[in-house]
Amino acid sequence: MDPVRSAELRAQLKELKAELKELRAAKVTNGVPSEIRAFVAEVAKKKRAALREAYSNREPLILRLNSRQDPCASPPAFSEDGEGKEA
């Protein structure tokens, strides 16, 4: 094999190994460097705090999920002309 070609291939192999190492590191860290993740987490934390502050003086909305109505009862059906007559 040509020594020049061999040296080129070794240099290319070295570059590809370095790239593979970077890709593996990115896979372990979910592709985001830790500084960026920390920054995004801090921004989200501040947003949540601002929302808590904005909604702190409101009365809580109580939703009744377990309705006490008869589940078999259905509202009356109306006619197409909107008169309120049962169909």
Side-chain angles (χ1 to χ4, degrees), residues 1-10:
M1 185 175 238
D2 186 17
V4 175
R5 178 78 175 140
S6 178
E8 289 175 11
L9 289 175
R10 286 177 199 247

Side-chain angles (χ1 to χ4, degrees), residues 16 32-33 35 37-38 40 50 52 64 66 68-69 76 78:
L16 290 174
V32 180
E35 299 88 27
R37 275 188 291 156
V40 170
R52 281 191 193 104
R64 188 172 200 161
N66 57 347
R68 303 254 187 237
Q69 296 175 355
F78 292 98

Side-chain angles (χ1 to χ4, degrees), residues 25-71:
K27 183 178 178 184
V28 168
T29 61
N30 292 329
V32 180
S34 61
E35 299 88 27
I36 295 175
R37 275 188 291 156
F39 175 75
V40 170
E42 189 65 28
V43 168
K45 186 177 175 182
K46 287 181 180 180
K47 274 187 176 180
R48 284 193 302 270
L51 285 172
R52 281 191 193 104
E53 180 66 29
Y55 287 95
S56 65
N57 59 356
R58 293 188 180 195
E59 217 171 290
L61 178 65
I62 299 172
L63 299 176
R64 188 172 200 161
L65 299 177
N66 57 347
S67 169
R68 303 254 187 237
Q69 296 175 355
D70 183 13

